[in-house]
Amino acid sequence: MARSFSATCGPDGLLQHLADLRSAVPSPSGGVVFVSGQLAQRASGVAELVRGAWRGVPTCVVPAAGVLSERGEIEGDTGASGVLWSGGQVTPFALPERAEEPSRLLREALARTVGQRPATAILFARPGAFAPERLEALSLSAPNTCLFGAGTASGSAIGVTSQGELLEGSATGLAITGFAPPLVDASPAARLLSGFHRIDEASGGVVLRAGGRPALDLLSAATATLGEPPSAQQLILAALADPPLDPPAAPGAGRGDAEAEALDSVRYVLRPVRGIDPSRRGLLLGDEARPGARLAFAVRDAAIGRAGLEGIARQVSRSALGSAPRFALYLTCAGRGQGLYGTPDVEARILRQRFADLPIAGMHSSFEIAPWARGQARLSLYTGVLALFRAPS
């Protein structure tokens, strides 16, 4: 059983919603509370309210840029959303501040909590304190863990244990065992402007050549159709994909533009173009843009965002046939929402149309942690991550 809520409210109103949910869910085993505005700035105070109202229930309190539920989205205001559920064993965990070896400590925290068992880990990381490469190593310690999550608005998420202890760190989350892993899918709100090309040369996070051409020339060609200059709405992004599984072509064969691949067959993550190097015709994209990886360019796009969310909601719903959906979490980039679509509640309406009154809680995030391969996840931008929790029917 599960119940959700969302409301524009202060501490007193939040306390009432927490009490109402606690009365509605018998024997709750876990919960998540997302807070925005002034409540997000006082997350520790919210954690105290949750500790009292949901006594004995493991929970995570998450500062967000905005919050949402199946009822709608709250942006630019003080508000809260949350979900309380029964079933499974829930254990909060946190990565200590200023950890000297954060990747190892995060792996060890998950390994201690879930080990080799099938499990779910929901991770909420503070912006600027969480490097993308940390995610790449987590599958080594918890290969059977379904991992997803998001970046907080500013401060740290706070875990509340069943004993009432408060846990806070640069990355905080919930590990769930004894519960069917959720169905998780993700979709970026971006339209690809080019095919994918293997990165030939990169140095210090600067991509110099890809597909046999200077990287800056590839960017210029990809954006030529957008007008001069592209508008602020047309935010240009780099799309990075893993190296192809097939062996590289022989020297002199299949190089250059012929190496571009079908746009609908590649899974990718979005990254900002941080700068250009005119003298070397290069692009500053960061350390993830390594030789062998594939590079394309994309533009933020509202129509693609809507269609993508409709698509993953439809696929998740189909995959859930034969089981009983309990609740869902939806984590969406703060760069989507009303600022992208020009009208409120677009994504909440899509979820409600697909899942009706299913309890849903979520947030507008600074970045997203999206599923990749089995036991793996990647840091993403301008992406919506949908996780449907269900029980066998």
Side-chain angles (χ1 to χ4, degrees), residues 5 10-23 49 53-54:
F5 80 94
D12 292 341
L14 173 59
L15 187 58
Q16 184 61 56
H17 286 290
L18 294 174
D20 290 345
L21 252 65
R22 183 62 184 84
S23 299
L49 292 178
W54 290 358

Side-chain angles (χ1 to χ4, degrees), residues 106-171:
L106 186 54
R107 291 197 305 271
E108 291 177 353
L110 277 181
R112 285 194 304 271
T113 305
V114 304
Q116 301 297 309
R117 293 176 293 171
T120 301
I122 314 171
L123 186 65
F124 299 104
R126 193 174 67 241
F130 192 82
E133 56 267 20
R134 294 187 192 176
L135 295 173
E136 298 178 10
L138 288 184
S139 60
L140 300 176
S141 57
N144 297 313
T145 296
C146 171
L147 175 66
F148 68 97
T152 65
S154 55
S156 298
I158 302 173
V160 183
T161 71
S162 58
Q163 295 78 32
E165 180 185 2
L166 301 184
L167 305 178
E168 184 174 352
S170 59

Side-chain angles (χ1 to χ4, degrees), residues 106-385:
L106 186 54
R107 291 197 305 271
E108 291 177 353
L110 277 181
R112 285 194 304 271
T113 305
V114 304
Q116 301 297 309
R117 293 176 293 171
T120 301
I122 314 171
L123 186 65
F124 299 104
R126 193 174 67 241
F130 192 82
E133 56 267 20
R134 294 187 192 176
L135 295 173
E136 298 178 10
L138 288 184
S139 60
L140 300 176
S141 57
N144 297 313
T145 296
C146 171
L147 175 66
F148 68 97
T152 65
S154 55
S156 298
I158 302 173
V160 183
T161 71
S162 58
Q163 295 78 32
E165 180 185 2
L166 301 184
L167 305 178
E168 184 174 352
S170 59
T172 306
L174 298 176
I176 305 172
T177 55
F179 204 71
L183 299 168
V184 189
D185 208 346
S187 177
R191 172 169 52 90
L192 289 172
L193 300 173
S194 71
F196 281 86
H197 304 266
R198 286 183 180 89
I199 296 176
D200 303 317
E201 183 182 359
S203 175
V206 177
V207 177
L208 301 174
R209 298 185 67 82
R213 301 173 62 188
L216 185 55
D217 291 357
L218 286 177
L219 175 62
S220 298
T223 59
T225 61
L226 295 178
E228 294 289 344
S231 68
Q233 183 74 1
Q234 295 173 315
L235 178 64
I236 307 303
L237 300 159
L240 294 175
D242 286 340
L245 296 176
D246 56 301
R255 300 294 296 172
D257 289 339
E259 203 172 87
E261 304 190 25
L263 300 187
D264 59 357
S265 63
V266 182
R267 182 175 236 178
Y268 59 88
V269 294
L270 297 169
R271 294 290 182 267
V273 178
R274 301 177 183 176
I276 64 173
D277 185 337
S279 63
R280 296 189 292 174
R281 310 294 294 167
L283 300 173
L284 178 58
L285 303 181
D287 292 338
E288 293 174 279
R290 310 180 184 105
R294 290 174 290 177
L295 170 66
F297 297 99
V299 62
R300 196 174 61 147
D301 188 282
I304 296 296
R306 283 192 295 266
L309 178 54
E310 289 169 352
I312 64 171
R314 181 170 57 251
Q315 181 58 46
V316 164
S317 179
R318 288 175 177 172
S319 299
L321 293 175
S323 61
R326 292 277 191 89
F327 67 93
L329 296 177
Y330 181 60
L331 315 172
T332 184
C333 183
R336 295 168 61 125
Q338 190 168 355
L340 176 63
Y341 300 114
T343 187
D345 299 335
V346 169
E347 297 190 333
R349 285 198 302 270
I350 291 172
L351 296 175
R352 187 166 59 249
Q353 289 166 2
R354 174 59 55 179
F355 298 108
D357 295 326
L358 180 75
I360 299 174
M363 66 182 290
H364 292 183
S365 51
S366 56
F367 58 83
E368 298 71 55
I369 299 172
W372 197 253
R374 177 179 173 82
Q376 296 181 350
R378 293 288 172 86
L379 189 149
S380 304
L381 301 175
Y382 300 102
T383 295
V385 179

